[in-house]
Amino acid sequence: MSSEKSKIKRKKYFGARFTATISVAMVLFVLGLMALGGMTAAQLTATLRERFTITIVAGEGADATFAPRLANTLRNEPFASQVKYISADSAAAIVARELGEDPREFLDYNPLQPSVELQLRSQWAQTDSIADIVARIRQAYGNRIDRIDYNKALIDVVNSNLRRVGIALAILTAILLLISFSLIANTVRLTIHSERFLVNTMRLVGATKWFIRKPFVMRNAMSGLVAALIAIAAIAGFLWYAFGAHPGSALQHLVVQPLPLGLLALGLIVVGMLIPAAAAWHTTDKYLRMSVDDLYLI
């Protein structure tokens, strides 16, 4: 009879542990998807900012080698993401393709000057930074530059919208983190609650606090690790399902990047182990400070 009761107890215990592990895995899965969305938004922000183009048109007083030399100089600058040299003939061909008529045919000469198209790194694609870069280029090359064109209004609008989206995502992430921590901690407390009398018994027989806490902390940390691995596998399955039908798409290249995904997996493992371990430590410590009468009342 006692053997049968022991089996029932073990089944209930492992059932509770399994339920707690799956619950933590689900929370980590949602948290991981949110983090993945945030990283994708950050990557998309960087990509959009690096698409801004500054066009530097050579002046009439510049020699034929000025624009190529300027392009080579700008490629070595820390703010440059991409630099493209466009010759006068290439510029005329672009105009002819867009307007359907070559200006060289009715003018008998090419009115266009060579130019350089500069795209900035994301952190430099801000209104103030662009103004500083333009001022530096003008000061360095003077009248050899005819004009420097860029769409300031578009940059301001895009940066303003991206800033709003970033703030909204940050607030949403903070709320989700708080909810996740609370859910995981409560799940761990429920699993330890049924063993509160065991904690008290060990204390009464003279076991040290660390000796009592250690198995609870280690066990919940290992359960958190299993939950994190389940969440990582679920996220991997979600990505495979989402991009399986369209492999090699632009969105896939934006989302599926080894380093961010590796950091995400590492973060889920750390969070999955740390929060349950901390909750187990805190809960066990609370029961260690309680009297037997108080244990019956909770």
Side-chain angles (χ1 to χ4, degrees):
M1 187 72 174
S2 82
S3 174
E4 194 172 324
K5 284 184 179 179
S6 178
K7 284 182 182 179
I8 293 172
K9 274 188 176 181
R10 280 200 299 269
K11 277 186 179 179
K12 286 183 178 179
Y13 173 75
F14 286 113
R17 299 299 304 175
F18 176 78
T19 303
T21 301
I22 295 300
S23 300
V24 173
M26 291 175 64
V27 173
L28 292 175
F29 173 71
V30 175
L31 188 61
L33 286 182
M34 188 65 196
L36 185 63
M39 290 190 298
T40 303
Q43 185 64 31
L44 180 60
T45 298
T47 302
L48 287 174
R49 284 176 173 167
E50 290 183 359
R51 295 287 175 88
F52 294 143
T53 301
I54 300 173
T55 303
I56 306 166
V57 181
E60 293 183 359
D63 58 42
T65 63
F66 170 70
R69 284 189 287 109
L70 174 62
N72 289 331
T73 301
L74 291 176
R75 286 189 186 99
N76 296 322
E77 293 289 345
F79 52 74
S81 172
Q82 290 187 16
V83 178
K84 182 181 179 182
Y85 163 66
I86 300 175
S87 66
D89 290 337
S90 298
I94 292 170
V95 171
R97 187 167 59 250
E98 291 179 352
L99 299 181
E101 190 171 0
D102 194 333
R104 293 170 292 187
E105 292 181 359
F106 58 86
L107 291 176
D108 292 330
Y109 73 97
N110 188 355
L112 302 174
Q113 292 293 111
S115 62
V116 175
E117 290 188 348
L118 168 65
Q119 291 180 331
L120 303 176
R121 296 186 187 277
S122 174
Q123 61 268 32
W124 293 87
Q126 306 285 346
T127 304
D128 295 341
S129 301
I130 293 173
D132 290 340
I133 291 168
V134 169
R136 284 170 53 188
I137 294 173
R138 286 192 180 279
Q139 185 177 7
Y141 299 103
N143 58 6
R144 286 180 290 177
I145 292 176
D146 179 32
R147 67 183 188 276
I148 300 177
D149 298 328
Y150 66 95
N151 196 331
K152 181 179 180 299
L154 177 62
I155 292 172
D156 289 341
V157 169
V158 171
N159 280 330
S160 176
N161 289 337
L162 290 175
R163 196 174 298 112
R164 290 194 190 99
V165 171
I167 292 172
L169 277 175
I171 293 172
L172 187 60
T173 301
I175 294 171
L176 184 60
L177 279 172
L178 185 62
I179 294 171
S180 300
F181 291 166
S182 177
L183 286 174
I184 294 174
N186 286 334
T187 301
V188 172
R189 289 190 191 103
L190 287 173
T191 60
I192 299 178
H193 179 76
S194 60
E195 300 180 88
R196 63 192 184 280
F197 292 108
L198 176 61
V199 171
N200 184 66
T201 302
M202 294 173 71
R203 184 191 64 178
L204 292 176
V205 298
T208 63
K209 288 186 177 181
W210 168 242
F211 182 84
I212 298 171
R213 290 192 193 109
K214 184 179 176 181
F216 293 100
V217 171
M218 296 300 295
R219 189 170 61 203
N220 281 280
M222 289 302 102
S223 295
L225 175 61
V226 173
L229 294 176
I230 293 172
I232 292 168
I235 291 172
F238 171 81
L239 293 177
W240 178 83
Y241 177 79
F243 299 114
H246 304 285
S249 63
L251 183 60
Q252 181 179 359
H253 287 302
L254 192 67
V255 176
V256 183
Q257 296 189 22
L259 181 58
L261 289 179
L263 292 174
L264 174 63
L266 181 61
L268 287 178
I269 289 172
V270 171
V271 170
M273 294 182 69
L274 190 60
I275 298 177
W281 179 286
H282 178 266
T283 304
T284 310
D285 191 63
K286 182 181 76 171
Y287 291 144
L288 284 171
R289 293 195 303 269
M290 295 176 70
S291 65
V292 178
D293 294 336
D294 291 334
L295 290 175
Y296 279 103
L297 293 175
I298 63 172

